[in-house]
């Protein structure tokens, strides 16, 4: 149960940070509609913008699932 809780916690943190990026950083500049990201950071930002807030919701669900499994392990 501890391994599952830790996996949910780490996954939840990652997905939550990915979901927060659109609220912190602007969408990367592109020259034309068919131009792609010029580096890894722009690719991460574009992926986080494509989530449209779902990454943030999923991350919160994973983090709360981690807390629930931790509480059940202690009971």
């Amino acid at each position: 149960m501890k391994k599952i809780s830790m996996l949910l916690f780490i996954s939840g943190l990652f997905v939550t940070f990915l979901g927060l990026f659109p609220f912190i950083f602007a969408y990367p500049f592109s020259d034309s509609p068919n131009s792609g990201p010029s580096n890894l950071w722009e690719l991460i930002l574009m992926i986080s913008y494509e989530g449209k807030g779902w990454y943030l919701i999923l991350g919160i669900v994973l983090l709360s699932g981690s807390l629930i499994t931790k509480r059940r392990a202690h009971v």
Side-chain angles (χ1 to χ4, degrees), residues 44-61:
I44 292 170
L45 283 177
M46 286 181 174
I47 290 171
S48 67
Y49 265 90
E50 290 294 320
K52 296 185 176 112
W54 286 107
Y55 293 133
L56 185 60
I57 295 169
L58 179 63
I60 292 170
V61 167

Side-chain angles (χ1 to χ4, degrees), residues 1-2 4-6 8-9 64-75:
M1 195 61 99
K2 187 176 181 179
I4 293 172
S5 175
M6 198 59 158
L8 286 173
F9 182 73
S64 57
S66 167
L67 293 174
I68 290 171
T69 55
K70 272 187 184 177
R71 286 193 178 180
R72 284 194 179 172
H74 289 290
V75 174

Side-chain angles (χ1 to χ4, degrees), residues 14-45:
F14 176 75
V15 175
T16 301
F17 282 125
L18 192 65
L20 284 174
F21 284 159
F23 298 105
I24 299 170
F25 302 106
Y27 193 80
F29 176 76
S30 55
D31 292 334
S32 66
N34 294 326
S35 66
S38 61
N39 55 29
L40 182 64
W41 176 245
E42 287 185 0
L43 176 64
I44 292 170
L45 283 177

